[in-house]
Amino acid sequence: MRSINWLERILWSVVIILAIIGIAAVVHRVLDLSHVIPPLAHPTFGAFDAAFRQYPVLTLSHVIPGLLFMVLGPLQFVPQIRARSINVHRWGGRVFVASGMIIGLSALTMNAFGMAIGGLNEAAATTFFALVFLGALGKAVVHIRRREIKLHREWMIRAFAIGLAVATIRPMVGLFFAATSLSPHEFFGIAFWLGFTAHLIAAEIWINYTRRQTGHVTVIAEVK
């Protein structure tokens, strides 16, 4: 049990940091679209922001649910909240799923409007993982309606991991800027593929690890 507690502390630290990055990105985008902060003078970052300014309503329909997703996501996995107030957990989960659905659908719409900085490669990555993300949310809903709690938890982990990947992609983009001579059009797609894939792999590793831990505890209980 010591190892899993140690791993959980590390995992929670990473999740909180990524959630803060995601929240900060939403706040920046809203302030930029509201003209509260001046446009960036940097030619690359300024062009990146300008792409979102062309479609402010679509952008807001994507990032505002993203804020709810980043705030509610970690709370859905806090066992104390489920134990003390199952209704808070349920209503939080409903808002979380609804926000996720809007995020996924708006991401697909943004691709249709050609908003991908990385062109076809980025559009392919966001389309693929948006569909996986929406599918994971759908599976989570199906399983909870059937009262299949363990399966519901696993699909919620997959969905949250994919959604949280957006926060990991941002520092990845920074690394590409700093360490390579590639243009944003060339490396944005690569960063998206790497970020989403890494998160999905991490989710599967955690699901399988905790699944084995749960099974081990169950076997011990039955023997006793």
Side-chain angles (χ1 to χ4, degrees):
M1 291 300 292
R2 288 182 181 177
S3 61
I4 191 169
N5 289 336
W6 179 73
L7 286 172
E8 283 179 349
R9 281 194 288 270
I10 293 177
L11 181 63
W12 270 109
S13 298
V14 172
V15 167
I16 291 170
I17 291 170
L18 291 177
I20 291 172
I21 292 173
I23 292 168
V26 171
V27 171
H28 169 80
R29 185 63 53 214
V30 172
L31 293 177
D32 177 66
L33 292 175
S34 303
H35 305 290
V36 175
I37 57 176
L40 293 173
H42 191 282
T44 300
F45 291 111
F48 179 70
D49 287 343
F52 289 100
R53 288 193 210 102
Q54 289 182 337
Y55 303 98
V57 175
L58 178 57
T59 299
L60 288 173
S61 71
H62 183 70
V63 300
I64 297 300
L67 178 63
L68 294 173
F69 184 91
M70 292 295 178
V71 172
L72 292 174
L75 299 178
Q76 288 303 109
F77 296 98
V78 177
Q80 290 85 353
I81 293 177
R82 294 196 302 271
R84 294 175 183 175
S85 181
I86 190 63
N87 285 331
V88 171
H89 174 75
R90 285 172 178 167
W91 278 104
R94 288 165 184 160
V95 176
F96 175 82
V97 170
S99 299
M101 290 293 182
I102 296 171
I103 292 168
L105 293 172
S106 60
L108 294 174
T109 305
M110 292 167 86
N111 280 340
F113 277 80
M115 295 177 65
I117 302 297
L120 184 60
N121 194 22
E122 181 190 336
T126 53
T127 297
F128 175 78
F129 284 102
L131 293 174
V132 175
F133 174 71
L134 291 170
L137 286 174
K139 290 282 288 183
V141 171
V142 169
H143 287 303
I144 197 60
R145 290 181 67 86
R146 294 175 179 173
R147 301 186 182 277
E148 297 167 341
I149 306 300
K150 291 182 179 179
L151 290 173
H152 166 72
R153 169 187 170 273
E154 292 179 2
W155 283 103
M156 285 290 278
I157 289 174
R158 292 183 181 103
F160 183 56
I162 295 172
L164 197 61
V166 174
T168 296
I169 291 169
R170 297 187 76 84
M172 278 187 173
V173 166
L175 287 175
F176 272 102
F177 267 116
T180 74
S181 59
L182 297 174
S183 69
H185 180 76
E186 292 172 318
F187 68 68
F188 256 66
I190 299 172
F192 272 66
W193 281 109
L194 288 175
F196 283 124
T197 302
H199 271 241
L200 196 53
I201 291 173
E204 292 302 324
I205 291 172
W206 182 250
I207 287 168
N208 280 280
Y209 180 77
T210 53
R211 189 185 291 161
R212 290 198 301 272
Q213 291 293 319
T214 303
H216 179 64
V217 171
T218 302
V219 168
I220 292 175
E222 288 177 350
V223 170
K224 288 183 178 181

